[in-house]
Every structure is written in C-alpha cells, then in structure tokens.
Amino acid sequence: MTQEFLSPADVAASRRPLAEARTLPPAAYTDAGLWHVEKARVLARSWLPLARVDQVPGAGDYLSAELAGEPVMVVRGEDGAVRVLSRVCRHRAALVANGQGCRKLFTCPYHAWSYDTKGSLVRAPLMEGAEGFDPADHGLREIRSEIWEGFVMATLDADAPAFAPQVSGFTDYFANYNLGGFVVARTLDYAHGWNWKVLAENFMEAYHHIATHSKTLEPGYHARDSQVPDTDQPWSILHMPAADRDAPQPPVPGLEDWQLRDLIAAIAFPGLMLAVQGPFMAWYQMTPLAEDQLDLKIHLCFPDWMRGMEDYDAIVDGAEASIRGVHEEDIAANDLVWAGLNAPLSRAGPLSPLEKSIWQMNQWWLDRMGA
C-alpha cells in the first residue's frame, strides 16, 4: 500500500547510507491518504507518552489525551495504580471525560452510565429490561501501558514488544540524570499546522542552529560540534557540547561535568522527545491530529528536590522564557518548511552528515510503513 504514495526510487534514495541519503519525499508529510496508513502502521502500533506520573498524584486524578486517534485518559485509581483508559462510553460512545481533574466516578453526560477509577461500570440506569446485559462486560477499555522513568507510555497494539527492553541503551544514557525523579513545573501549549515529522526532524538536528538559532543556540552549542551515536534500537540522541567548557557549574549529585554543561536532544521513536541539560528536562509532547495538524505541549520539568529552593519560581520563569524564545524561532522555520513541502515542484533533498538523527528515524519509519 505504501507504494501508492512513495515511489520505489524515493524509498531507495532515503534508504542509502547517510552520506548518500535523501530526505523522505514531500508526500511522506503532505499526503492525506498516506497519513491514514501512517496512523495505522506507525502511531497505533507504537509506544507514545501520555503523561508523567506526577501529573496524576492522588486517587481519582485524571488527565485526558489522544492516542493515535483514541480518546484516552490517564487515571490514578483508588488502589494507587496508574491506568490508561478509553474515554469512550461503552453504551453510545459519548466521551465520559475531557480535560483533567479529580473524580471518583466518570459519569457519561449522555445517559449517566458511571465508571470507577478502574474503568468498571458501576451504574447503568434503566437497563433492567436489556436481556443478557452484564455491567461487568461493559467497562471502559483499558489501554496497554508501562511506566518508564516517570513517563506513562501507552500503545493500542496488544502485540507490540514491551517498551523498556527496546530502549535499554536510551535508559543507560540517561541513568545519571534520574529522569524518574523529575516533576512537571509548567506546561506551554501550542497548536501547529504541520505534519508531526516536521517538528520531530527540527527537534533532532543542530545543523539549523547556524541560521534559525544564530543568536540563541549557536553561540552556546555550535552546530559543527554536534554528535549522534550509532544505535540499533528505536531511538536517537543528539549530543550538543557546550562551546564554553570553562565556566563553573553548580554541582548536582550524580551528574558528570559534561552532563551539566552539554545539551541533549533525544527521541524514542516516534514521539518521546526530550531536551535535557543538567537538572532540567523539557518534554515535547506532540499529538499528531492529521497530515497537517498537531498539538504540542512543552512540559518544563525539574527534579522533585528543587521544588524546595527559594528561587525555584525564578528558575522556572527563566526556563520558560528560554524555551519560548527558541520555539518561536522554530515555528518560523517550520512554517517555511511546510510551505515548501506543499509546493508543486518540491522534491527530496540531500541530508547533511549533521542530520544523522533524521536519517536514523527515516529508516525506522520506512520499516514501520513496510516500504
């Protein structure tokens, strides 16, 4: 089916070794028909991040999300367990919840069917005459999930391999940072009119520092110094060494000097995107909605122990200002990319050796698409 959208020549060009490889062709981003194939073969079969466990700290706390088109919610049960449940009522398919909050019962606003924090149907009014009706058969569907370093990961694919073993090298790389001990301090909300891969590719290369971020990131993290390690697992890491190696850094227990100074961008394919530096993590949570639409939440995260610091609010304010400034520059660049990808004469282009992360993700994506 993929051949309907991607020519064998374009696939072969993207499959070449990095030094010879081309980008994915524009149709991989812009074609609505391909988007539906991608949604089924890539997004619905992958592990995607929905929340941090600290976002649902108490019994009944919930947070709504979308998982490859399925409306879901992350819920902390009365038993303390964190679950991912469908938000679709088992009666006539109305959504039982939106947004976030705290509830002991999720009552459908259409016919008042009510579900507990485990998803069990506990009340279905006026169903006594329905022959063979058993409330135990009509609970909210539970979605397969795992907790990885504080992230609630979920997949619609019941047969997908477990997430953690697939990213063992990723886990090892970040071992010193203790990502599981981070908490969300603030969330920035955006809606963008591009394909999700435009955002992911922009996030995973430092080559554009020389133009897009010439006054912000490039002076501190030179594009030419960026490095991407080899991996045979479904993730990529972009290591951006700090240009200033001599400025003193406040010590953080467990972190080496380079981990305090250097900026790391990382992605576990297709959508767990992290920017990490010392005791700071920005989690870019993107929700693909269509071939030309995505929602983005940028969660600013810090170790839990920092919340007691007197200047914590000022630290968070500074992180927000920095992230907003850089992302505004990326928005302008991605708008230009999206306009070009939709141009009639647009074709695949060559990759720079500095865009190794894009090449790595393209190989994974083509595998998942069956190309």
Side-chain angles (χ1 to χ4, degrees), residues 242-305:
D244 186 350
R245 314 302 296 173
D246 299 321
Q249 299 293 317
V252 175
L255 293 182
E256 299 179 26
D257 183 72
W258 70 270
Q259 293 169 326
L260 293 168
R261 299 174 186 275
D262 298 352
L263 178 61
I264 309 297
I267 180 170
F269 305 144
L272 178 59
M273 301 195 304
L274 313 176
V276 182
Q277 183 182 42
F280 171 69
M281 173 176 69
W283 165 33
Y284 284 62
Q285 182 185 15
M286 65 175 175
T287 303
L289 301 173
E291 77 279 2
D292 60 354
Q293 187 181 0
L294 65 91
D295 283 341
L296 174 67
K297 295 181 184 296
I298 305 178
H299 304 279
L300 311 181
C301 306
F302 295 87
D304 184 60
W305 56 263

Side-chain angles (χ1 to χ4, degrees), residues 58-318:
D61 288 342
Y62 74 95
L63 182 152
S64 300
E66 295 249 344
L67 179 64
E70 179 71 28
V72 300
M73 56 184 173
V74 179
V75 182
R76 175 81 69 171
E78 297 285 336
D79 58 356
V82 175
R83 297 177 178 86
V84 177
L85 303 173
S86 171
R87 289 187 280 134
V88 178
C89 181
R90 295 295 304 280
H91 172 224
R92 293 268 298 283
L95 299 187
V96 302
N98 282 297
Q100 62 188 82
C102 184
R103 295 190 197 175
K104 299 298 192 259
L105 288 178
F106 295 90
T107 300
C108 179
Y110 198 10
H111 297 94
W113 283 32
S114 297
Y115 304 85
D116 65 17
T117 58
K118 291 183 179 180
S120 300
L121 179 62
V122 296
R123 181 170 175 267
L126 307 180
M127 288 295 291
E128 292 81 2
E131 187 173 340
F133 174 73
D134 185 350
D137 296 333
H138 296 86
L140 296 177
R141 300 190 187 279
E142 182 168 356
I143 311 299
R144 189 174 167 206
S145 63
E146 288 185 25
I147 308 297
W148 178 85
E149 296 294 338
F151 288 98
V152 181
M153 307 294 298
T155 180
L156 295 179
D157 186 356
D159 299 320
F163 177 73
Q166 297 184 63
V167 296
S168 58
F170 199 77
T171 305
D172 291 344
Y173 190 93
F174 288 108
N176 287 358
Y177 293 88
N178 187 27
L179 299 183
F182 280 59
V183 295
V184 175
R186 191 169 298 170
T187 297
L188 316 179
D189 288 293
Y190 296 91
H192 295 312
W194 328 303
N195 182 268
W196 66 272
K197 294 188 293 299
V198 171
L199 175 67
E201 291 176 358
N202 173 269
F203 185 79
M204 287 309 302
E205 53 94 350
Y207 186 23
H208 71 291
H209 287 192
I210 60 176
T212 303
H213 305 306
S214 61
K215 294 187 169 97
T216 50
L217 290 178
E218 175 62 16
Y221 308 95
H222 300 323
R224 64 177 181 269
D225 296 331
S226 62
Q227 307 156 18
V228 176
D230 293 329
T231 176
D232 59 0
Q233 294 182 327
W235 51 264
S236 186
I237 287 174
L238 173 66
H239 179 190
M240 293 167 277
D244 186 350
R245 314 302 296 173
D246 299 321
Q249 299 293 317
V252 175
L255 293 182
E256 299 179 26
D257 183 72
W258 70 270
Q259 293 169 326
L260 293 168
R261 299 174 186 275
D262 298 352
L263 178 61
I264 309 297
I267 180 170
F269 305 144
L272 178 59
M273 301 195 304
L274 313 176
V276 182
Q277 183 182 42
F280 171 69
M281 173 176 69
W283 165 33
Y284 284 62
Q285 182 185 15
M286 65 175 175
T287 303
L289 301 173
E291 77 279 2
D292 60 354
Q293 187 181 0
L294 65 91
D295 283 341
L296 174 67
K297 295 181 184 296
I298 305 178
H299 304 279
L300 311 181
C301 306
F302 295 87
D304 184 60
W305 56 263
M306 287 184 63
R307 290 199 283 190
M309 298 173 61
E310 290 185 7
D311 56 349
Y312 182 66
D313 289 341
I315 292 171
V316 176
D317 287 343

